[in-house]
Amino acid sequence: MVAPRCLMHREGGTFEEFPAYDLAMQSDAAVVLDHGTDVFIWLGAELAAQEGRSAAALAACRTLAEELTEMRFPAPRILAFKEGSSQARYFVSRLIPAHKDPPYEQEARFLQLRTLSTEQRTKLKNSFIHFDEPSFSEWMRGLKVLPPEPS
């Protein structure tokens, strides 16, 4: 629960582990977040619009979620939802908010951003709802503490 595992689905049914930042919520991706008591499967809006790809990604994510939880007791809930749905708030609330951080900090903490084009980065940034809450790094600096260094 304190350090949830975040796995992004890749073509071919493979998964890549990423830090649990909200920057993982890319519209063309499927993400599995193992939070201990719950396992969330999140489908981006662009991916969900492509029936064949989204069905394959959802099936792969469900299989992974079942494998991650098969030996646990009590068994965690496995919840799946799409970007923009009302249930997506459960997923978002368990990720570290980093979308308001400066780009150099985002890239240092979430290396996959370096592979995105400028257009993809802009689309990702615009997909977040603006709110007054600070990002994790801003909150840490407000406490006069340095945020943890990227690993």
Side-chain angles (χ1 to χ4, degrees):
M1 285 182 163
V2 176
R5 287 184 69 195
C6 185
L7 300 131
M8 187 178 288
H9 178 262
R10 295 291 183 203
E11 293 298 322
T14 61
F15 288 87
E16 188 174 352
E17 191 160 356
F18 288 107
Y21 288 102
D22 60 0
L23 300 170
M25 300 183 335
Q26 299 171 25
S27 284
D28 62 345
V31 179
V32 175
L33 183 73
D34 183 354
H35 191 259
T37 58
D38 300 298
V39 177
F40 301 109
I41 301 169
W42 182 88
L43 293 178
E46 285 180 29
L47 179 64
Q50 302 171 13
E51 285 187 35
R53 278 188 64 214
S54 72
L58 181 60
C61 290
R62 233 179 240 295
T63 301
L64 175 67
E66 290 168 0
E67 288 173 5
L68 291 172
T69 62
E70 69 184 340
M71 300 300 282
R72 292 195 207 162
F73 183 82
R77 296 182 303 169
I78 298 174
L79 303 169
F81 33 81
K82 297 176 184 171
E83 178 180 7
S85 69
S86 64
Q87 289 183 321
R89 70 184 184 275
Y90 297 119
F91 178 75
V92 175
S93 67
R94 286 166 174 86
L95 294 173
I96 298 168
H99 65 275
K100 291 172 66 177
D101 291 338
Y104 68 89
E105 277 189 14
Q106 291 177 348
E107 286 180 6
R109 297 180 194 295
F110 198 81
L111 300 176
Q112 194 256 353
L113 289 179
R114 295 177 184 168
T115 65
L116 299 179
S117 69
T118 306
E119 180 182 309
Q120 290 171 317
R121 293 270 311 249
T122 303
K123 193 184 327 180
L124 175 62
K125 184 175 179 166
N126 292 337
S127 71
F128 293 106
I129 298 169
H130 177 73
F131 53 89
D132 293 336
E133 294 291 319
S135 72
F136 179 68
S137 296
E138 290 172 333
W139 178 75
M140 293 287 290
R141 285 188 201 97
L143 297 174
K144 306 290 188 234
V145 177
L146 290 176
E149 288 297 318
S151 53

